[in-house]
């Protein structure tokens, strides 16, 4: 089931992933913090996208997300959540049309 809570990408999940995979102090993870402020460069942002792909089971197109070191966590959360939702919706729609 792709709608399980652990598959839903939100700011809390993003904060948890940053803390777990990049050893960032949870106190530093705020909506307005940028990846730069968290000392994450472009490569680290791409690594985060890969981690999210693994967590959600959804393949994301990194270049379409428009994320970089100056993106805030709020911006990243919205972009990633939208991309995951669109990918899940597309795959669900493809499965439905194949059943007709």
């Amino acid at each position: 089931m792709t709608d399980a809570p652990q598959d839903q990408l939100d700011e809390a999940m993003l904060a948890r992933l940053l803390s777990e995979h990049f050893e960032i102090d949870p106190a530093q993870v705020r909506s307005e913090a940028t990846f730069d402020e968290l000392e994450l460069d472009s490569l680290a942002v791409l690594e985060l996208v890969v981690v999210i792909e693994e967590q959600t089971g959804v393949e994301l197109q990194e270049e379409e997300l428009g994320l970089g070191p100056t993106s805030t966590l709020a911006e990243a959360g919205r972009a990633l959540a939208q991309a995951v939702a669109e990918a899940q919706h597309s795959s669900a729609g493809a499965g439905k049309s194949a059943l007709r």
Side-chain angles (χ1 to χ4, degrees), residues 14 30 44 55 64 69 74-75 95:
L14 187 58
R30 323 173 306 288
Q55 293 285 317
E64 293 178 16
E75 293 167 341

Side-chain angles (χ1 to χ4, degrees), residues 71-85:
S71 299
T72 66
L73 296 185
E75 293 167 341
R78 284 191 298 271
L80 291 163
Q82 181 177 348
V84 168

Side-chain angles (χ1 to χ4, degrees), residues 1-2 6-9 13 17 49-60 80 84 88:
M1 236 188 224
T2 58
Q6 67 270 22
D7 291 343
Q8 292 178 356
L9 180 64
M13 179 185 181
L17 293 175
V49 171
V50 170
V51 169
I52 291 168
E53 288 176 333
E54 292 170 355
Q55 293 285 317
T56 62
V58 173
E59 186 175 331
L60 301 172
L80 291 163
V84 168
Q88 288 175 337

Side-chain angles (χ1 to χ4, degrees), residues 7-29:
D7 291 343
Q8 292 178 356
L9 180 64
D10 58 16
E11 209 167 313
M13 179 185 181
L14 187 58
R16 181 180 54 80
L17 293 175
L18 287 168
S19 178
E20 290 175 3
H21 293 276
F22 296 94
E23 299 179 2
I24 294 174
D25 179 1
Q28 291 183 304
V29 181

Side-chain angles (χ1 to χ4, degrees), residues 28-63:
Q28 291 183 304
V29 181
R30 323 173 306 288
S31 296
E32 66 277 3
T34 65
F35 289 116
D36 242 354
E37 291 171 357
L38 298 174
E39 299 181 12
L40 296 173
D41 61 11
S42 296
L43 182 58
V45 174
L46 291 178
E47 288 178 37
L48 176 62
V49 171
V50 170
V51 169
I52 291 168
E53 288 176 333
E54 292 170 355
Q55 293 285 317
T56 62
V58 173
E59 186 175 331
L60 301 172
Q61 301 300 318
E62 293 89 355
E63 62 276 357

